[in-house]
Amino acid sequence: MTQTIQVVAIGGTTRPNSSSEKALRIAAQAAKDAGAQVSFITGTDLLMPIYDTQSTERAAESLHLIERIRHADGVLISSPGYHGGMSGLIKNAIDYLEDLSGERRPYLDGRAVGCVAVAHGWQASVTTLHQLRQITHALRGWPTPMGAAVNTAETQFSADGTLEDLAAHAALTRVGTQVVDFAEAFTAHRN
Ligand SMILES: Cc1cc2nc3c(=O)[nH]c(=O)nc-3n(C[C@H](O)[C@H](O)[C@H](O)COP(=O)(O)O)c2cc1C
């Protein structure tokens, strides 16, 4: 019996109509279409205290994030480009993976990670994508071959979340599909 691939999709901002959340949802839909079950940590779910090494107390949102990653086969992460890099909101969420350091599968170990960055220019979208992929490597995850950098100076999301630039839309779709492809292969290998 094949088990359903579990993907956790993390990202966006607290802004209504967040473009980085819309990008995340396009990639997540592709993961669903490829057969995965996807859970979301977006918007105000990301409003957790700054990760504190001197405390073992964790807010409910932080515990939820840690638990989701613990059981995930694949991860999607989408950040806006802020001042040339990923947002503090997303980096703080990632810092909580330190709480998985002592696990059998620490951090992002053995998990496919699809990275997405959205900024109002190429420079920040590309540098932010690069950061997400570097962090994935550092945390023992497997960045999918394709990442997606979306430049909202050149293409816009519609109110219903679709993207007018078909090439950018296809890149996001590919990221979601590749997370599931890798997760299926790696899960079969582990079993
Ligand atoms: C604090 C802040 C810093 C930003 N810095 C950059 C930047 O350095 N380069 C850039 O292209 N866009 C920058 N932007 C624009 C955002 O990347 C862009 O609006 C992004 O789509 C916002 O994400 P959201 O739509 O999910 O809220 C910045 C926006 C904010 C709020």
Side-chain angles (χ1 to χ4, degrees), residues 12-13 15 17-21 80-84 118-121 124-125 152:
T13 66
R15 204 174 65 76
N17 274 321
S18 161
S19 54
S20 48
E21 181 176 335
Y82 276 5
H83 300 161
V118 182
H120 199 67
S125 57
T152 53

Side-chain angles (χ1 to χ4, degrees), residues 41 44-52 55-68 70 92-93 96 99:
I41 297 181
T44 54
D45 305 337
L46 291 159
L47 287 177
M48 36 189 100
I50 290 287
Y51 181 73
D52 182 0
S55 172
T56 51
E57 272 177 42
R58 297 290 176 243
E61 293 79 6
S62 312
L63 291 172
H64 178 68
L65 171 88
I66 294 162
E67 197 57 17
R68 284 288 172 196
R70 178 178 282 128
N92 187 46
Y96 275 95
D99 287 5

Side-chain angles (χ1 to χ4, degrees), residues 137-162:
H137 271 147
L139 296 181
R140 310 182 199 186
W142 299 72
T144 53
M146 294 300 296
V150 180
N151 175 0
T152 53
E154 293 195 359
T155 184
Q156 299 294 319
F157 291 89
S158 64
D160 68 359
T162 53

Side-chain angles (χ1 to χ4, degrees), residues 115-126:
C115 299
V116 173
V118 182
H120 199 67
W122 283 120
Q123 186 165 312
S125 57
V126 171

